[in-house]
Amino acid sequence: VRVEGALAAGVYAKDVILAIINQLGVKGGVGYAYEYAGPVIDRMTMEERLTVCNMSIEGGARFGYVNPDATTIDYLRGRPHAPAGEAFDRAAAWWKTIATEPGAGFDDVKRIDGSALEPVVTWGINPEMSVGVNQRIPAPESAPEAERPTYREALAHMGFEAGQLIKGAKIDVAFVGSCTNGRLSDLRAAAAVAKKGKVAQHVRALIVPGSQQVAKAAEAEGLHEVFQQAGFQWRKAGCSMCLGMNDDKLQGREMSASSSNRNFIGRQGSPTGRTLLMSPAMVAAAAITGAVADVREML
């Protein structure tokens, strides 16, 4: 999967992988592995690449990977459990040899224009069902005939109408976290938006670091104070609302703007709850405005 061009400001790794899944489908990778490449992937940080690879399974792939390069090696250097000194140099030299060789054959090659991407939001009940933030929700008739019943089920469950703009859809809960988007860079992106205002009065907003290490690093930078001053709850590290863990669940028909990876019916704890997947920055924008918003207008 080659992502060409360059991402615009306000478009993130989460938007890239949601766009890929939208184009290839949730079954597009069944029986295969996804190799991500191209200028957009090359320029991504390791954490951004982790977001993309993390959601390969949502696209049906066995796994996703990016070839090891200088970004990989710099990220691993000096980390706990990584080799040190000459042992690291030997390991790095070997890592470079396992990159896909020039001219290698693939079962298929998909090219996506990263320059054309805008923030992406899911509207349905699986990660394939997404649109750009300024696009309209598609009609079942636009889908292959075999998928139309699922489209109708999604519209009924979500309470949306075909042709409706996703932008402006009211939310009740905002959740930044999960293994997909609970890293330090994700919290920084969300905090940059949180500085722009206060959480809407009707919105319950949760920030959940993906690990204790991330939580400590974020607190050392004062990010927790940024969120708290804006009206977000700063929670302990964990899975939280990604899968409706403990008390972190949707109630009834609540609508969630979530940076997690799955929007299946019941995923966030309520059988009638509704989930809109988006980037952490987009979640923060939705929390402040009380509805799906274009984060680019707040940067």
Side-chain angles (χ1 to χ4, degrees), residues 34-121:
Y34 281 162
E35 176 180 308
Y36 301 103
V40 168
I41 303 297
D42 291 342
R43 285 191 291 266
M44 282 185 177
T45 66
M46 197 67 172
E47 292 196 350
E48 291 170 325
R49 294 175 180 183
L50 289 171
T51 291
V52 172
C53 290
N54 179 279
M55 285 194 68
S56 300
I57 188 66
E58 277 72 40
R62 291 181 181 273
F63 62 89
Y65 69 97
V66 177
N67 280 315
D69 59 7
T71 298
T72 315
I73 294 168
D74 290 343
Y75 179 84
L76 292 173
R77 192 185 305 275
R79 287 188 173 269
H81 310 299
E86 292 183 0
F88 183 88
D89 293 336
R90 289 194 299 270
W94 181 75
W95 293 334
K96 292 178 181 179
T97 69
I98 63 175
T100 302
E101 65 274 14
F106 295 90
D107 291 291
D108 193 13
V109 177
K110 178 68 176 180
R111 288 180 169 82
I112 292 177
D113 182 4
S115 302
L117 295 181
E118 62 177 329
V120 178
V121 181

Side-chain angles (χ1 to χ4, degrees), residues 18 52 86 161 174 206 288:
L18 285 176
V52 172
E86 292 183 0
E161 295 182 1
L206 285 66
I288 291 171

